[in-house]
Amino acid sequence: MSSSVSLNQYVEGRHKSYEYGRYGNPTVRVCEEKIAALERAEEGLVSSSGMNTATTLLLALVPQGGHIVTTTDCYRRTRQFIQTFMTDKMNVTATVLDPSDLEGLEKALKANDVTLYFSESPTNPYLRCIDVPTVSGLCREHGALCVVDGTFATPVNQKILELGADLVISSGTKYMAGHNDVLCGYIAGKKEVVDKVKAMQNILGGVMDPHAAYLLLRGMKTLELRIARQNENGMKLAKALEQHPKVSRVHYPGLPSHPDHQNAITQMKGFGGVVSFEVDGDLWKTAKVIDTVRLPYIAPSLGGVESLIEQPTVVSYWDQAPEIRAKIGIKDSLIRYACGIENFEDIWSDLKQALDQV
């Protein structure tokens, strides 16, 4: 600020500037504007991670004693925040539904004063796809916000706001940044709603630093090219896995065998690079597949230029008892493969040789 007068004008909203790093930064702002354009939104807001974005959003928009509707197949930490912190510390109640349970959603909206509906689409790790237009329409009828996590799709494959949702949230760490070297998250939607989350972020402080914003901008330059290759690799891998005798089931929304295939082909232009599948074997036979592949890194992320592979039981749920894992649908034989941009023949020949050894 050049003077006390300009500082007063800034506080009153008559002078545009950046008072303090936690409240805004020019590079960060360019990121937000580009994301808003990609998502067809009035406003965008970036933060230090996808999880920070989710928790800040929930704290900003769900009041004490509020009610949330969410879905069964969901990122573990998001569900954990809703069902522990918000329930225990804020007296928030939650209804958890199958992603396709529209009748259950309507009942929950009628029986409760629902503040917010929250689901991924596609979900993690089974890639369930909700019917966004119908879900958002039901929420709107009952005065609830519809928030959809589009991390696995990106705005290249799916325009969630145009389908009717109020807010789209994403872990920009994944496809948007695309190089497995930065943590970031974002929301986009109506300015009035995004501004409420921004006000909470100003308090909590989970902002993106300018260098991370620079890396996100770099990643977005090649987003469409990378997604095209990952869509192609994902579809080819899913089809190949369905034919392999050591694979009992493949979860990929681009396949007719997927329970939400119709939603996917209606709402998405491509189906992404993540393929989940079940090995015809137990925990340790599945772990052997993970340990035998040579091309992908064993890591819990996705969306980068390098392929990644994980066994959710080991990477994300090892601290949970088998009966708890079974209750939430995490099978010991499940593998999640996140395709990079490598040549498909290299991806498949490597994974096939690992499966052949089961």
Side-chain angles (χ1 to χ4, degrees):
M1 299 298 178
S2 58
S3 68
S4 296
V5 172
S6 61
L7 178 59
N8 289 338
Q9 291 174 340
Y10 169 81
V11 173
E12 294 168 0
R14 295 184 291 116
H15 175 70
K16 296 294 184 183
S17 185
Y18 296 96
E19 171 198 5
Y20 190 63
R22 194 169 76 249
Y23 303 145
N25 172 274
T27 310
V28 170
R29 185 56 192 156
V30 171
C31 269
E32 293 171 340
E33 290 170 346
K34 286 183 180 292
I35 286 167
L38 280 169
E39 295 284 7
R40 306 288 193 267
E42 290 180 8
E43 184 62 280
L45 177 68
V46 295
S47 79
S48 58
S49 71
M51 198 62 223
N52 178 268
T53 302
T55 54
T56 303
L57 178 152
L58 290 166
L59 289 172
L61 300 179
V62 181
Q64 186 168 5
H67 191 92
I68 298 173
V69 176
T70 188
T71 52
T72 49
D73 193 28
C74 176
Y75 178 55
R76 180 188 175 188
R77 297 304 182 189
T78 307
R79 182 174 60 246
Q80 188 177 29
F81 183 75
I82 292 171
Q83 294 182 323
T84 58
F85 181 86
M86 299 196 80
T87 299
D88 297 343
K89 301 291 179 67
M90 297 176 60
N91 295 319
V92 169
T93 53
T95 298
V96 183
L97 301 170
D98 182 273
S100 62
D101 189 358
L102 296 175
E103 184 180 342
L105 173 59
E106 191 164 15
K107 287 180 180 178
L109 288 165
K110 289 179 179 178
N112 305 280
D113 184 11
V114 177
T115 309
L116 182 143
Y117 171 93
F118 188 104
S119 179
E120 301 159 5
S121 190
T123 62
N124 180 29
Y126 289 111
L127 307 170
R128 300 294 305 276
C129 299
I130 67 168
D131 181 346
V132 180
T134 302
V135 168
S136 59
L138 288 170
C139 289
R140 197 171 299 111
E141 284 178 25
H142 294 85
L145 286 172
C146 177
V147 181
V148 179
D149 186 332
T151 299
F152 278 51
T154 80
V156 173
N157 282 335
Q158 181 174 244
K159 292 288 192 290
I160 287 173
L161 299 178
E162 291 186 346
L163 291 169
D166 296 297
L167 283 178
V168 58
I169 181 172
S170 178
S171 173
T173 303
K174 312 302 192 297
Y175 287 108
M176 294 293 281
H179 292 76
N180 295 321
D181 59 4
V182 61
L183 289 173
C184 56
Y186 73 81
I187 61 167
K190 296 176 182 177
K191 188 177 188 308
E192 178 185 1
V193 182
V194 174
D195 283 350
K196 292 178 181 179
V197 183
K198 171 67 172 173
M200 179 63 73
Q201 187 184 74
N202 287 348
I203 297 168
L204 298 179
V207 297
M208 177 186 280
D209 77 83
H211 183 64
Y214 160 76
L215 291 174
L216 178 57
L217 287 168
R218 171 215 56 184
M220 284 194 284
K221 291 177 181 179
T222 59
L223 176 64
E224 188 172 13
L225 293 171
R226 289 185 285 105
I227 292 297
R229 182 59 172 260
Q230 288 165 308
N231 285 343
E232 179 184 350
N233 283 345
M235 179 62 86
K236 287 181 177 179
L237 182 61
K239 288 180 177 179
L241 285 167
E242 269 203 321
Q243 301 302 313
H244 198 284
K246 301 295 178 65
V247 174
S248 60
R249 186 172 181 183
V250 180
H251 304 270
Y252 189 71
L255 295 176
S257 59
H258 192 276
D260 302 315
H261 178 64
Q262 191 58 47
N263 286 343
I265 62 175
T266 302
Q267 299 173 171
M268 302 175 73
K269 294 180 179 178
F271 308 106
V274 176
V275 182
S276 294
F277 63 96
E278 297 169 36
V279 174
D280 187 11
D282 60 13
L283 170 68
W284 297 112
K285 286 183 179 180
T286 305
K288 184 180 179 181
V289 175
I290 299 285
D291 293 338
T292 307
V293 293
R294 296 188 295 266
L295 185 146
Y297 292 95
I298 302 173
S301 194
L302 60 107
V305 292
E306 305 95 351
S307 290
L308 304 178
I309 193 169
E310 70 159 11
Q311 187 176 1
T313 291
V314 175
V315 171
S316 300
Y317 292 91
W318 194 247
D319 60 330
Q320 301 291 303
E323 58 270 19
I324 295 177
R325 293 199 299 266
K327 185 178 180 180
I328 58 179
I330 301 300
K331 300 180 180 180
D332 290 347
S333 60
L334 182 69
I335 289 177
R336 192 186 75 181
Y337 197 108
C339 294
I341 62 170
E342 301 94 345
N343 182 284
F344 173 72
E345 295 306 321
D346 292 337
I347 292 173
W348 177 235
S349 62
D350 176 54
L351 183 55
K352 183 178 181 299
Q353 63 82 25
L355 285 167
D356 288 344
Q357 296 183 49
V358 174

